[in-house]
Amino acid sequence: MKTQVGIVGGGPSGLLLSQLLDLKGIDNVILEKHTREYVLGRIRAGVLEHGFAALMREAEVGERMDKEGEIHDGFYIAHDGICERVDLKGLTGGNSVMIYGQTELTRDLYEAREKIGGKVIHNADDVALHDISTEKPYLTYKVGDEEKRVDCDYIIGADGFHGVSRQSIPKDAIRIFEQVYPFGWLGVLSHTKPVSPEILYAKHPRGFALCSLRSQAMSRYYIQVPLTDKVEDWSDEAFWQELKTRLPGDIADKVITGPSIEKSIAPLRSFVAEPMRFGNLFLAGDAAHIVPPTGARGLNSAASDIYYLYHAMLAHYKQGDDSGLEAYSQKALARVWKAQRFSWWMTNMLHEFPDNSEYEKHLQQTELEYLFSSQNALASAAENYVGLPF
Ligand code: APR
Ligand code: PHB
């Protein structure tokens, strides 16, 4: 098979790029290792920057998001027994975020790909990238015992953190920047009315907690846990109890509990691979960078990569202008690092770090006090949360 753009990975990054390119008549194929059901089974965050929501509309997949998603004009930070609001709309001159689960967004993208005959090959085994430093890169994969080949102009590595694309770049051509945090998040999804109509981050001496939601009937809660904890250690009852302990009393009293639909532990990690281009391979999304979920930048950073890649591909195929492709890595990374900074800042401000000195604890507390005492500090937090310009 021959195509213009070969995309490895059918997560949100690969699907969104594929959809945008198809709408402009740029031929592309997605090779996805798993089934569609598997991809849709993963529960991830659900906070979309306003610029990402606009990109979804441009990709003609914004209809259900606009109908079922919620626009949030602010979020809360609870600490020291009080709860303070960050007024996103007021602080940014009218911007907000869209609450719409990644699972729903991925489903919409799959349906849109199907509707316009997008080529998504599922269960593609042993995907391998070849000749990526040449003008004629190609992909191979297996379906059963049969090996297939896709010749492309460009390959997009959108196959997530554990994918094969980043690993295909020679070790001496890529630099890794990484930080792992000494804790994880235990998350619970439950069919209950969320305790807070807007997302609420909580700092508590027993550890961080987060009250989020997928809709006004579906809650998503998290608590910080040691990396040694296992999901089996946490009964639903123990989870609710610990969550309530970490919230201000009046909010804890209002938590509506129920059986968990999904319960999992995710470690927290910051990771960036540089550059995001090697020859004719372009990395995008989790394949190139990971953030801790505090601040909800993960999916949004993937979307900004796709924004730059899409425009670069358009300029190449429609105007013969390669400047966007040349600048991709540098442009994408400039924004990626700002998202890294914001996630790192929020993570550091709100979590309990077992090894922090008394001095560091004092600074952490001062960070919060400064935030809520300065309109400038609040405006900075808000402009990052709604999403910096592309
Ligand atoms: N071959 C083909 N497909 C692969 C391979 C491989 N070797 N390895 C992984 N994949 C597929 C995965 O099955 C997955 O569907 O690539 C896809 C990558 O999707 P994600 O991990 O979701 O990454 P991405 O699309 O960049 O999404 C951005 O933002 O909120 C964060 O982590 C969250 O997934 C989210 C990400
Ligand atoms: C979520 O709803 O899963 C969520 C929300 C905000 C975050 C992280 C995760 O910062």
Side-chain angles (χ1 to χ4, degrees), residues 37-83:
E37 291 64 40
Y38 175 91
V39 177
L40 289 175
R42 292 178 299 200
I43 309 288
R44 300 266 175 87
V47 181
L48 315 190
E49 295 173 357
H50 66 107
F52 182 10
L55 193 60
M56 288 289 286
R57 291 181 198 111
E58 189 176 340
E60 298 180 8
V61 280
E63 206 176 311
R64 197 160 70 94
M65 173 190 80
D66 281 326
K67 214 181 302 155
E68 296 175 17
E70 286 182 19
I71 304 256
H72 281 203
D73 295 336
F75 68 89
Y76 293 99
I77 295 183
H79 62 99
D80 306 292
I82 57 165
C83 188

Side-chain angles (χ1 to χ4, degrees), residues 22 30 57 79 83 88 95 109 146 158 206 333 349 385:
D22 249 340
I30 293 180
R57 291 181 198 111
H79 62 99
C83 188
L88 294 173
N95 288 330
L109 281 163
E146 201 183 340
R206 290 181 64 88
L333 281 166
M349 182 170 66
Y385 201 86

Side-chain angles (χ1 to χ4, degrees), residues 33-240:
K33 184 178 180 174
H34 294 289
T35 62
R36 174 169 162 162
E37 291 64 40
Y38 175 91
V39 177
L40 289 175
R42 292 178 299 200
I43 309 288
R44 300 266 175 87
V47 181
L48 315 190
E49 295 173 357
H50 66 107
F52 182 10
L55 193 60
M56 288 289 286
R57 291 181 198 111
E58 189 176 340
E60 298 180 8
V61 280
E63 206 176 311
R64 197 160 70 94
M65 173 190 80
D66 281 326
K67 214 181 302 155
E68 296 175 17
E70 286 182 19
I71 304 256
H72 281 203
D73 295 336
F75 68 89
Y76 293 99
I77 295 183
H79 62 99
D80 306 292
I82 57 165
C83 188
E84 303 195 81
R85 184 166 185 264
V86 179
D87 173 11
L88 294 173
K89 196 171 181 181
L91 289 158
T92 60
N95 288 330
S96 46
V97 290
M98 169 76 77
I99 304 299
Y100 192 60
Q102 183 174 321
T103 311
E104 302 311 314
L105 174 148
T106 311
R107 188 190 308 281
D108 295 345
L109 281 163
Y110 268 128
E111 282 171 11
R113 305 306 304 112
E114 226 162 55
K115 211 160 108 191
I116 61 171
K119 286 172 260 178
V120 185
I121 296 165
H122 283 282
N123 299 315
D125 280 333
D126 296 340
V127 172
L129 292 74
H130 307 270
D131 295 352
I132 51 177
S133 58
T134 74
E135 296 289 294
K136 292 188 187 319
Y138 65 98
L139 294 163
T140 54
Y141 65 101
K142 276 196 184 141
V143 179
D145 286 338
E146 201 183 340
E147 181 158 289
K148 310 253 190 189
R149 171 174 170 144
V150 186
D151 289 283
C152 339
D153 299 339
Y154 299 106
I155 294 176
I156 310 302
D159 47 352
F161 185 63
H162 300 287
V164 65
S165 299
R166 191 182 66 250
Q167 321 283 356
S168 308
I169 300 175
K171 292 272 173 291
D172 59 359
I174 197 161
R175 231 183 127 185
I176 303 297
F177 300 84
E178 190 171 24
Q179 175 151 335
V180 288
Y181 297 84
F183 41 73
W185 279 15
L186 167 63
V188 158
L189 187 68
S190 99
H191 215 301
T192 49
K193 185 174 159 52
V195 66
S196 169
E198 292 179 337
I199 293 179
L200 186 155
Y201 298 86
K203 180 184 189 310
H204 187 273
R206 290 181 64 88
F208 169 82
L210 169 57
C211 307
S212 184
L213 61 152
R214 293 291 171 270
S215 69
Q216 291 304 325
M218 184 76 81
S219 307
R220 180 69 166 157
Y221 294 107
Y222 299 90
I223 55 172
Q224 172 188 350
V225 292
L227 283 171
T228 43
D229 278 18
K230 302 266 170 294
V231 177
E232 307 78 74
D233 301 339
W234 285 92
S235 65
D236 285 0
E237 214 165 279
F239 176 85
W240 292 119

